[in-house]
């Protein structure tokens, strides 16, 4: 069985590629970094290390790589593949849509009727569906009709913390021991080879929202609260009892919504929160606040990890003072190395806070969450300016 994976970064190598190789897939990474591509081609293996006390290391083998710019080679790999996966970031799905489309075209031209599954392993709800919508405009009508029969785009939820890192070996990657990969089972075509360690479910939304609105929400909230206090790493944030409590309160608020919406067991969900907090505090991982908090415009968008759970909680009548405070903290994230953060600050200066919340976050003026975010923003900004003056 052969898998083509787009993205040879830390998540691609340390999570998806590792699991595919362990399930006896031949893995061809499609990447941009010439050095990593060359090393993967020459060595056909790389090490991953668990961020635990013993630093357990595993060798991932049966891998190679090609450059995404080699359009014909990428198409040939896809034409004969059994599985395509991605870990490029949801904003980059459009960049890989045309190469995948060319591979599907060649596959259909060659009359390859074996099932092809394309799974976007991104921090996004409906990532595979989004990728499909990007790919299909590059296909002619005949190819689209064939693809509907032989190509499927199962949505998925993925969870593993893999911080930015540097090693002597550019291919080595350190990952946390915990991982979760959930795939929507009804979208699988006959003949799919299951991946060891993947959880296949009939209803994906509860798992995606539980992960997005607990792990992703909590992680970025830790970054934004920590940034305002001058902390450099998530581990430092979690070592501060006051900030750790704030992060937990946010996760408890989103948890109330998830419990009401999806019927999760409250006791089990609280244990899930405990597990997530311990993962953030892992003493063997060093994750920068600026890395976790990067791209605040995306994280403040209407359907992402802050606004979406806030609006759903409001519909259930759940009070969310800590989540609105976290949204305000995100609006104050102004890391100069982050292009989105700088754009965010420019928008707020030019448009005003209320207009930003309405136009960019999608929260109407009359909505109570709108007014609460303004109040929290003014409070946090005043506190920050007072600290600077002091």
């Amino acid at each position: 069985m052969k898998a083509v994976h787009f993205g040879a970064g830390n998540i691609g190598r340390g999570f998806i590629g590792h699991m595919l190789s362990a399930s006896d897939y031949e893995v061809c990474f499609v990447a941009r970094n010439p050095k990593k591509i060359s090393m993967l081609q020459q060595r056909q293996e790389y090490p991953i290390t668990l961020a635990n006390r013993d630093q357990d290391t595993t060798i991932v083998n049966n891998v190679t790589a090609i450059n995404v710019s080699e359009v014909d080679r990428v198409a040939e790999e896809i034409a004969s593949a059994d599985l395509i996966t991605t870990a490029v970031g949801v904003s980059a799905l459009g960049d890989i849509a045309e190469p995948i489309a060319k591979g599907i075209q060649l596959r259909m031209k060659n009359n390859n009727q074996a099932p092809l599954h394309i799974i976007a392993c991104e921090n996004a709800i409906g990532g595979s569906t989004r990728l499909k919508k990007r790919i299909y405009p590059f296909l002619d009508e005949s190819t689209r009709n064939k693809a509907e029969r032989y190509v499927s785009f199962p949505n998925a939820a993925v969870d593993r913390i893999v911080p930015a890192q540097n090693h002597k070996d550019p291919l080595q990657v350190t990952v946390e021991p915990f991982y979760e990969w959930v795939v929507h089972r009804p979208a699988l075509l006959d003949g799919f080879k299951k991946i060891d360690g993947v959880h296949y479910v009939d209803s994906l939304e509860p798992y995606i929202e539980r992960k997005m609105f607990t792990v992703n929400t909590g992680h970025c909230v830790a970054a934004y609260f920590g940034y305002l206090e001058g902390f450099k790493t998530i581990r430092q944030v979690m070592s501060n009892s006051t900030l750790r409590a704030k992060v937990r309160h946010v996760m408890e608020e989103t948890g109330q919504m998830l419990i009401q919406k999806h019927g999760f067991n409250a006791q089990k969900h609280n244990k899930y929160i405990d597990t997530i907090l311990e993962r953030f505090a892992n003493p063997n991982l060093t994750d920068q606040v600026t890395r976790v908090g990067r791209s605040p415009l995306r994280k403040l968008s209407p359907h992402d990890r802050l606004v979406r759970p806030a609006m759903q909680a409001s519909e259930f009548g759940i009070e969310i003072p800590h989540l609105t405070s976290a949204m305000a903290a995100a609006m104050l994230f102004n890391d100069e190395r982050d292009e989105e953060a700088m754009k965010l600050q420019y928008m707020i200066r030019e448009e005003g806070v209320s207009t930003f919340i309405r136009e960019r976050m999608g929260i109407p003026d009359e909505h109570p969450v709108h007014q609460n975010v303004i109040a929290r923003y003014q409070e946090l900004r005043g506190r920050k300016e007072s600290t600077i003056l002091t």
Side-chain angles (χ1 to χ4, degrees), residues 21-69:
S21 174
S23 295
D24 296 326
Y25 277 91
E26 295 178 10
V27 183
C28 178
F29 289 98
V30 180
R32 297 184 185 279
N33 186 306
K35 183 176 182 180
K36 286 181 180 177
I37 292 169
S38 177
M39 293 181 73
L40 285 166
Q41 289 173 341
Q42 292 172 19
R43 290 164 46 177
Q44 300 186 0
E45 64 178 27
Y46 60 87
I48 69 164
T49 301
L50 292 183
N52 58 16
R53 186 177 59 184
D54 296 327
Q55 300 287 289
D56 296 319
T57 298
T58 300
I59 301 299
V60 178
N61 51 36
N62 212 16
V63 301
T64 188
I66 54 177
N67 198 301
V68 69
S69 64

Side-chain angles (χ1 to χ4, degrees), residues 362-378:
I363 307 175
D365 291 350
E366 64 276 9
H367 200 286
V369 171
H370 185 114
Q371 298 305 320
N372 288 336
V373 173
I374 290 177
R376 301 287 174 178
Y377 176 85
Q378 291 172 342

Side-chain angles (χ1 to χ4, degrees), residues 58-282:
T58 300
I59 301 299
V60 178
N61 51 36
N62 212 16
V63 301
T64 188
I66 54 177
N67 198 301
V68 69
S69 64
E70 298 178 83
V71 178
D72 291 340
R73 286 191 62 193
V74 172
E76 288 171 4
E77 291 291 337
I78 291 172
S80 60
D82 301 284
L83 175 67
I84 297 173
T85 53
T86 78
V88 296
V90 67
S91 61
L93 289 178
D95 298 335
I96 63 173
E98 187 171 7
I100 295 176
K102 289 183 181 298
I104 293 174
Q105 285 175 333
L106 181 60
R107 188 183 187 90
M108 298 299 103
K109 182 180 178 181
N110 294 344
N111 200 31
N112 183 349
Q113 298 181 7
L116 175 66
H117 293 80
I118 301 178
I119 306 176
C121 304
E122 311 293 348
N123 273 328
I125 295 171
S128 301
T129 301
R130 296 190 196 192
L131 180 56
K132 179 180 180 179
K133 289 179 179 177
R134 295 280 195 164
I135 291 171
Y136 268 42
F138 292 105
L139 302 176
D140 59 54
E141 184 176 358
S142 175
T143 304
R144 284 197 298 269
N145 290 336
K146 288 182 181 178
E148 284 296 327
R149 288 153 53 196
Y150 304 118
V151 182
S152 183
F153 293 78
N155 285 313
V158 291
D159 183 11
R160 191 171 213 175
I161 297 174
V162 185
Q165 53 201 267
N166 288 301
H167 299 283
K168 289 182 179 179
D169 179 355
L171 295 184
Q172 183 176 356
V173 59
T174 298
V175 299
E176 67 163 333
F178 179 95
Y179 69 87
E180 185 176 57
W181 185 357
V182 185
V183 171
H184 191 217
R185 180 167 35 219
L188 300 179
L189 303 174
D190 290 342
F192 177 76
K193 173 180 165 51
K194 289 190 174 181
I195 304 161
D196 294 341
V198 170
H199 186 35
Y200 297 91
V201 300
D202 293 324
S203 179
L204 187 63
E205 185 184 25
Y207 292 91
I208 288 182
E209 291 204 336
R210 183 187 68 163
K211 187 263 179 175
M212 283 288 293
F213 303 153
T214 313
V215 181
N216 293 94
T217 301
H219 212 201
C220 77
V221 163
Y224 295 135
F225 283 148
Y227 182 80
L228 290 180
E229 299 297 329
F231 288 105
K232 301 298 183 184
T233 69
I234 297 297
R235 188 170 62 190
Q236 291 172 345
V237 175
M238 300 309 293
S239 297
N240 182 286
S241 59
T242 300
L243 292 185
R244 183 173 177 134
K246 282 187 175 183
V247 174
R248 182 181 192 91
H249 290 326
V250 171
M251 295 162 79
E252 288 172 343
E253 289 173 359
T254 60
Q256 289 181 57
M257 180 275 290
L258 292 167
I259 289 166
Q260 289 197 41
K261 181 177 180 180
H262 297 298
F264 291 135
N265 177 280
Q267 186 175 6
K268 288 183 178 179
H269 189 74
N270 282 328
K271 288 184 178 179
Y272 180 68
I273 291 174
D274 290 338
T275 299
I276 304 308
L277 290 169
E278 288 306 310
R279 290 171 59 197
F280 294 167
N282 186 336

